Amino acid sequence: MTRDITSAANTQAQSNNPIIAMMAYLDILEGALYFNTTPYTLTYSGDDYLGVGSLGSIDQIKEQINTKVSGISFQLSGVPPELVSVALGSTYKGRDCSLYLAFLDTDHALIADPVLMFTGRMDVMTIDMGETATISVSAESRLADWDRPRIRRYTNEDQQLIYSGDLGLEFVNQAADKEVYWGRATPK
């Protein structure tokens, strides 16, 4: 995956003491969650990434030159209790998540655009409660969908699931058992 980096972010990355932050986006059905590793909120693309102080840990992000599926696991530490209750009751499996590497200036303001490090779909989310809450998320690359079978039937019921109101397969069941006489008169 190619990564675009702005010249300002590139300059900060090559400095002696770059200031960085990781930003995590979790798209749950009940509403998106945004976190970052700083102790304060960062705004990017109109969204406020809540500062949780530390992201916990992130597995090594592996990129393959072949079509091998890779995933990652990361932890969000110091999550506020009100967001833990949202995460506990959320529908997250198969929903999008992204991790960004952000560069900050000396005033801890976001420099240009963060670099997208991983995007995929959430698989498993666990929550550990202690002095602070920790949310662990396992995510897989979208390439994982490549190996999943697509089971579709050419029936009216299956067609209605995808295209409600379409009548193109309405008579398929009747046509399956229909005897068709081709090239000769019908028997008596």
Side-chain angles (χ1 to χ4, degrees):
M1 158 193 259
T2 60
R3 304 219 188 321
D4 295 326
I5 187 167
T6 61
S7 61
N10 190 28
T11 302
Q12 181 68 13
Q14 294 180 18
S15 70
N16 290 338
N17 296 315
I19 304 170
I20 62 169
M22 292 300 294
M23 298 168 50
Y25 158 71
L26 307 175
D27 178 30
I28 61 173
L29 185 63
E30 293 74 14
L33 299 175
Y34 302 92
F35 300 104
N36 81 76
T37 58
T38 67
Y40 41 84
T41 300
L42 295 175
T43 300
Y44 170 62
S45 193
D47 299 313
D48 292 330
Y49 286 77
L50 178 68
V52 294
S54 67
L55 196 59
S57 65
I58 301 173
D59 283 353
Q60 181 180 1
I61 299 173
K62 299 174 186 168
E63 293 185 349
Q64 313 283 339
I65 59 172
N66 55 10
T67 56
K68 187 175 180 183
V69 176
S70 60
I72 65 165
S73 188
F74 58 93
Q75 291 181 337
L76 305 166
S77 301
V79 178
E82 61 272 7
L83 292 179
V84 171
S85 63
V86 169
L88 277 172
S90 69
T91 304
Y92 63 87
K93 190 158 179 78
R95 309 238 351 141
D96 292 335
C97 72
S98 299
L99 288 176
Y100 297 91
L101 175 64
F103 294 95
L104 309 175
D105 63 16
T106 54
D107 295 326
H108 300 287
L110 194 62
I111 294 176
D113 293 328
V115 179
L116 178 64
M117 298 303 291
F118 176 83
T119 185
R121 296 196 174 151
M122 291 180 279
D123 188 26
V124 177
M125 183 186 299
T126 57
I127 299 173
D128 297 322
M129 296 297 290
E131 286 184 29
T132 62
T134 301
I135 297 175
S136 300
V137 178
S138 295
E140 57 187 15
S141 168
R142 290 176 181 255
L143 190 58
D145 283 344
W146 187 272
D147 290 334
R148 290 194 180 110
R150 304 288 190 257
I151 300 173
R152 294 291 318 263
R153 307 282 189 251
Y154 290 104
T155 63
N156 187 47
E157 294 78 17
D158 193 50
Q159 185 74 357
Q160 295 306 314
L161 290 174
I162 306 298
Y163 303 105
S164 181
D166 183 7
L167 302 178
L169 299 177
E170 183 179 16
F171 300 108
V172 166
N173 292 343
Q174 295 171 8
D177 297 328
K178 185 80 171 165
E179 273 192 55
V180 177
Y181 300 100
W182 191 265
R184 63 183 175 137
T186 58
K188 295 184 184 184

